[in-house]
Amino acid sequence: VPRVVIFRDAIIDLFDMEMGARFTSKAKLGFMAILNYVGGAYIYIRREYAVRIKVINSSWRTANNKAADFMDAGEEAAEGGEGGEGGDGEAGKEGEEAAKEEAAAADKKAQEAKASGE
């Protein structure tokens, strides 16, 4: 039984208990229709946009890791003086390549998930 049905039934039971005879069968059917519609919309959005949300989360983690690495590199450069900047160029290129590979892997995963109908 989907969680939407459990939630809908719980809300309908609550209204039924609290309102008693004032909660007519028409009101019950109306609330059930509204809750079914909202629950169906929630399920649709979660199913259709799950892959996109995963890609956004992955990108967000990558961006935060790069920002942390950048801050660490800035602190190391400040401690080491001006001579510490020479090795950062190559490390930066490696980081960019790793980020591109990760983005490509995420895109491939998203395409596979979309093709399989998830």
Side-chain angles (χ1 to χ4, degrees), residues 8-40:
R8 180 200 66 202
D9 291 343
I11 296 295
I12 295 298
D13 288 344
L14 177 71
F15 277 131
D16 197 21
M17 287 174 45
E18 292 294 323
M19 296 180 72
R22 293 182 297 168
F23 192 58
T24 64
S25 62
K26 276 188 176 183
K28 185 176 183 177
L29 290 174
F31 272 104
M32 286 179 74
I34 289 171
L35 292 172
N36 280 338
Y37 180 80
V38 170

Side-chain angles (χ1 to χ4, degrees), residues 62 66 69 91-106:
T62 302
K66 279 190 174 185
D69 290 344
K93 290 178 185 177
E94 290 174 5
E96 288 176 12
E97 290 174 10
K100 287 179 183 178
E101 289 174 7
E102 186 176 325

Side-chain angles (χ1 to χ4, degrees), residues 52-110:
R52 292 181 185 185
I53 290 171
K54 286 178 185 176
V55 170
I56 290 170
N57 284 335
S58 173
S59 298
W60 187 255
R61 279 192 302 272
T62 302
N64 283 335
N65 288 339
K66 279 190 174 185
D69 290 344
F70 180 73
M71 295 298 288
D72 290 342
E75 290 173 2
E76 290 174 6
E79 291 173 2
E82 290 184 27
E85 293 180 14
D88 287 344
E90 209 170 296
K93 290 178 185 177
E94 290 174 5
E96 288 176 12
E97 290 174 10
K100 287 179 183 178
E101 289 174 7
E102 186 176 325
D107 288 341
K108 185 177 180 182
K109 214 180 236 187

